[in-house]
């Protein structure tokens, strides 16, 4: 069972052994939402299921509200978070997993072409559903092809319906209310995964308000990867996070970003580093900055 990372070679071995396995392609582009599905259609790992961030891994977005916020549609039940990519309810997500034929006895392998930015979302959501056997393909599709892995442009056949049963969550979800209650307290330390310019409020291409949650530390998610596009060694990741936390307890960390997606590589990196299971604030800046009365900050933290 692989629970954090799996190499291209290890995935090839799983395939050769005909293991109970499902591979998911999570490629996406925030600025061009249709691009991921197009990339998947052009080249994907044979047998892979496409998981669309907007339609499969998020609740329906609804319509813009009076304050510029996103009013989440609730036809499929109350979403588990707010923000630009609201988490669907666990029941809704279980229905999707069953619909693509994924079952509780399978190993899941997730990948993208984007530095684990988008496939991390599915990795975390499966943990949230109580499914531990899920791993990110280290280095993504690029590493797969570099290792001689086959890709195809064929249309994949539909899978038989399964009956995925949610279990006790293995991931910690932080709500806006919980983050607000602990803001500035030693038992909560926020890590913001956005690019430094967005964190400091110098630019904001996606959300109406620029800045960051007061007190949040900044670690752009791409810093977890080496020049080869794979996660850095566990010892190096541990040293970097310990330097960032500067004595703060890793167990108090809550990860966030713009909409709860690019924060996951930081969360995964801490787990690879042996620093435990940390929490995700899925609503992140897009929910925080659109909630009336909550403080925001620009510039770097002192």
């Amino acid at each position: 069972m692989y629970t954090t990372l799996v190499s291209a070679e290890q995935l090839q071995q799983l395939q050769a052994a005909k293991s109970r396995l499902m591979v998911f392609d999570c490629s996406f582009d925030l600025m061009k939402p249709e691009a991921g599905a197009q990339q998947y259609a052009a080249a994907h790992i044979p047998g892979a299921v496409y998981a669309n961030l907007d339609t499969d891994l998020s609740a329906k977005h609804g319509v813009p509200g009076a304050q510029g916020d996103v009013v989440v549609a609730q036809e499929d039940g109350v979403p588990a978070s707010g923000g630009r990519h609201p988490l669907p309810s666990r029941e809704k997500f279980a229905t999707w997993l069953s619909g693509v034929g994924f079952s509780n006895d399978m190993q899941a392998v997730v990948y993208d072409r984007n530095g684990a930015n988008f496939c991390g979302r599915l990795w975390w959501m499966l943990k949230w559903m109580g499914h531990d056997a899920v791993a990110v393909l280290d280095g993504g599709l690029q590493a797969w092809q570099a290792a001689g892995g086959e890709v195809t442009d064929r249309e994949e056949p539909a899978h038989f319906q399964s009956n995925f049963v949610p279990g006790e969550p293995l991931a910690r979800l932080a709500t806006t209310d919980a983050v607000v209650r602990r803001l500035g307290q030693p038992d909560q330390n926020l890590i913001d995964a956005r690019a430094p310019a967005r964190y400091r409020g110098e630019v904001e291409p996606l959300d109406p308000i620029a800045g960051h949650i007061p007190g949040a530390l900044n670690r752009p998610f791409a810093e977890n990867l080496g020049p080869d596009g794979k996660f850095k060694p566990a010892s190096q990741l541990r040293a970097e996070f310990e330097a960032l936390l500067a004595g703060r307890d890793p167990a108090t960390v809550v990860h966030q970003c713009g909409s709860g997606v690019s924060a996951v590589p930081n969360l995964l990196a801490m787990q690879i580093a042996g620093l435990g299971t940390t929490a995700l604030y899925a609503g992140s800046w897009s929910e925080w900055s659109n909630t009336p009365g909550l403080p925001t900050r620009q510039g770097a933290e002192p």
Side-chain angles (χ1 to χ4, degrees):
M1 181 171 68
Y2 295 91
T3 61
T4 53
L5 298 177
V6 63
S7 70
E9 293 78 11
Q10 289 167 331
L11 176 54
Q12 290 168 347
Q13 291 166 7
L14 287 171
Q15 291 177 326
K18 300 189 182 304
S19 302
R20 290 280 292 164
L21 171 72
M22 186 169 284
V23 179
F24 294 89
D25 186 322
C26 306
S27 303
F28 198 74
D29 186 332
L30 290 175
M31 298 301 183
K32 191 179 178 184
E34 68 278 8
Q38 293 169 351
Q39 291 172 329
Y40 167 82
H44 60 269
I45 295 175
V49 172
Y50 183 62
N52 186 298
L53 172 65
D54 275 349
T55 59
D56 301 325
L57 307 182
S58 300
K60 292 181 180 179
H61 292 210
V63 297
Q67 305 300 320
D69 58 330
V70 176
V71 179
V72 179
Q74 298 189 8
E75 293 92 337
D76 296 317
V78 179
S81 77
R84 279 185 287 106
H85 292 106
L87 282 173
S89 68
R90 281 174 28 108
E91 295 76 15
K92 172 65 176 175
F93 185 49
T95 298
W96 180 79
L97 290 170
S98 298
V100 299
F102 187 75
S103 58
N104 297 80
D105 64 343
M106 286 182 174
Q107 169 75 55
V109 172
V110 301
Y111 75 89
D112 59 32
R113 299 159 169 80
N114 316 91
N117 187 10
F118 300 111
C119 69
R121 168 79 162 207
L122 180 51
W123 175 85
W124 186 90
M125 289 178 70
L126 281 167
K127 300 285 187 182
W128 178 54
M129 297 294 283
H131 192 84
D132 204 23
V134 52
V136 168
L137 177 60
D138 200 12
L141 187 65
Q142 297 89 331
W144 173 258
Q145 291 180 284
E150 180 188 355
V151 296
T152 182
D153 62 355
R154 75 182 183 215
E155 184 175 347
E156 299 293 341
H159 294 269
F160 289 111
Q161 177 89 14
S162 67
N163 182 29
F164 182 88
V165 179
E168 192 68 23
L170 302 173
R172 293 162 49 199
L173 174 62
T175 64
T176 296
D177 287 346
V179 174
V180 170
R181 286 197 304 271
R182 294 180 174 87
L183 195 64
Q185 301 300 312
D187 63 346
Q188 174 177 267
N189 287 285
L190 296 164
I191 296 182
D192 188 328
R194 294 176 300 163
R198 285 188 71 196
Y199 165 80
R200 293 191 297 266
E202 297 165 5
V203 297
E204 183 44 68
L206 296 169
D207 294 309
I209 300 173
H212 64 266
I213 300 173
L217 306 170
N218 186 215
R219 178 179 169 86
F221 75 92
E223 291 185 6
N224 298 301
L225 307 180
D228 59 358
K230 298 178 182 179
F231 277 81
K232 295 173 181 176
S235 58
Q236 183 176 352
L237 290 172
R238 187 180 186 98
E240 291 178 4
F241 275 99
E242 286 178 342
L244 176 69
L245 292 171
R248 300 173 179 89
D249 183 358
T252 65
V253 168
V254 176
H255 295 276
Q256 51 98 182
C257 53
S259 62
V261 178
S262 62
V264 177
N266 276 346
L267 188 153
L268 173 57
M270 287 190 70
Q271 194 160 325
I272 293 167
L275 294 171
T277 300
T278 45
L280 175 68
Y281 173 30
S284 286
W285 180 249
S286 58
E287 182 173 357
W288 181 275
S289 60
N290 282 299
T291 302
L294 296 186
T296 63
R297 184 170 293 171
Q298 293 188 333
E301 288 291 327

